[in-house]
């Protein structure tokens, strides 16, 4: 089955700086890669996703890049703000809508004032 | 987010008891999923369903049973709860576009 590795497990950055979280996956059939943000005691919230036919996607301060050859994808957050502090999860999925997501173990992003 | 709900939000039970966690969505999504979240393991898929009466096992299905008689409901039953099933359980739903949207979660403690 699919295996998703996520690094780092904790990331501390100064407010206003950029943050990068990296994930690798093992199944070359995976074609959908979402990122979720989870605040303490809350549900995971989908913040951005990318499909295998696209190399990069941006949404305001958030961007995701995908390298299919190397089987890795990354989340980039620019101009970080205190409200960006949360746990971020990457995930991967192969096939159509019926398959579940395989998640990385999460990155605790801390924004230092 | 109000489109997917879970109940109860908190549950304490004892080892050996049967427990059912409910999940209801109003989006008419075909696909529904159950995940458990544990420290150090992230989110792991328990069961999923492509449509009413169609269910399949995920990564960690042992000790759990699901059913889906109606598109909008996807209950998860722990037939005989064990301490290792203490966790936060999230239900999710999605349409054909792959996006999955999570419910608020149920925090289950098995004593």
């Amino acid at each position: 089955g699919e295996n998703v590795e996520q690094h780092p497990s904790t990331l501390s950055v100064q407010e206003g700086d950029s943050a990068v979280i990296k994930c690798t996956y093992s199944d070359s059939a995976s074609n959908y890669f979402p990122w979720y943000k989870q605040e303490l005691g809350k549900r995971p919230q989908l913040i951005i996703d990318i499909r295998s036919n696209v190399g990069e996607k941006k949404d305001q301060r958030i961007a995701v890049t995908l390298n299919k050859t190397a089987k890795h994808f990354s989340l980039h957050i620019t101009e970080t703000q205190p409200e960006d502090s949360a746990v971020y999860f990457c995930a991967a999925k192969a096939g159509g809508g019926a398959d579940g997501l395989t998640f990385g173990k999460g990155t605790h992003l801390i924004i230092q004032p | 987010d109000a489109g997917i709900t879970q109940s109860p939000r908190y549950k304490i039970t004892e080892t050996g008891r049967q427990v059912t966690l409910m999940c209801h969505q109003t989006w008419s999504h075909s696909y529904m999923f159950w995940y458990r979240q544990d420290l150090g393991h992230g989110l792991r898929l328990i069961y999923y369903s492509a449509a009413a009466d169609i269910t399949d096992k995920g990564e960690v299905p042992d000790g759990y049973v699901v059913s889906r008689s109606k598109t909008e409901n996807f209950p998860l039953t722990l037939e005989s709860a064990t301490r290792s099933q203490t966790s936060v359980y999230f239900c999710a739903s999605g349409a054909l576009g792959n996006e999955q949207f999570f419910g608020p979660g149920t925090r289950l403690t098995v004593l």
Side-chain angles (χ1 to χ4, degrees):
Chain A
E2 175 66 277
N3 181 51
V4 177
E5 300 282 343
Q6 182 172 349
H7 300 280
S9 56
T10 303
L11 178 61
S12 181
V13 301
Q14 290 293 124
E15 183 178 348
D17 287 350
S18 295
V20 181
I21 302 170
K22 298 181 179 182
C23 289
T24 60
Y25 62 98
S26 61
D27 188 350
S28 56
S30 287
N31 56 18
Y32 176 67
F33 307 91
W35 287 86
Y36 286 83
K37 174 183 180 181
Q38 187 178 28
E39 297 174 348
L40 189 63
K42 300 290 180 65
R43 75 188 79 190
Q45 296 267 16
L46 178 66
I47 56 171
I48 195 167
D49 57 12
I50 192 167
R51 287 169 174 78
S52 58
N53 58 348
V54 175
E56 182 175 0
K57 184 177 178 180
K58 282 181 110 172
D59 183 4
Q60 299 183 334
R61 297 186 296 109
I62 292 173
V64 57
T65 58
L66 171 65
N67 183 328
K68 283 192 65 180
T69 303
K71 294 201 196 114
H72 66 71
F73 56 113
S74 301
L75 178 71
H76 305 252
I77 305 174
T78 59
E79 300 171 12
T80 53
Q81 300 169 3
E83 54 265 36
D84 294 330
S85 293
V87 179
Y88 291 80
F89 292 95
C90 64
K93 185 167 84 70
D99 294 335
L101 295 167
T102 300
F103 283 86
K105 287 184 168 48
T107 295
H108 186 193
L109 177 62
I110 301 165
I111 308 301
Q112 303 277 8
Chain B
D1 286 351
I4 182 166
T5 57
Q6 293 183 235
S7 61
R9 295 293 314 279
Y10 303 90
K11 177 74 177 178
I12 299 174
T13 191
E14 294 179 337
T15 302
R17 291 192 181 265
Q18 183 178 79
V19 178
T20 295
L21 309 183
M22 304 301 294
C23 178
H24 176 78
Q25 53 104 355
T26 59
W27 291 313
S28 299
H29 284 164
S30 296
Y31 307 106
M32 297 188 74
F33 310 86
W34 275 105
Y35 295 88
R36 61 177 288 175
Q37 185 172 35
D38 306 286
L39 275 174
H41 289 281
L43 289 136
R44 292 180 291 173
L45 181 68
I46 305 171
Y47 267 96
Y48 60 99
S49 170
D53 298 321
I54 300 175
T55 62
D56 211 341
K57 295 178 180 179
E59 181 186 354
V60 289
D62 293 345
Y64 303 95
V65 175
V66 293
S67 62
R68 190 144 178 232
S69 56
K70 292 184 177 181
T71 300
E72 61 266 29
N73 296 324
F74 191 36
L76 176 74
T77 297
L78 288 66
E79 293 187 299
S80 178
T82 65
R83 289 196 182 89
S84 65
Q85 292 177 310
T86 292
S87 186
V88 180
Y89 291 85
F90 286 101
C91 177
S93 72
L96 290 173
N98 292 321
E99 296 90 345
Q100 293 184 21
F101 301 97
F102 284 76
T106 294
R107 184 174 295 275
L108 176 68
T109 302
V110 182
L111 301 176

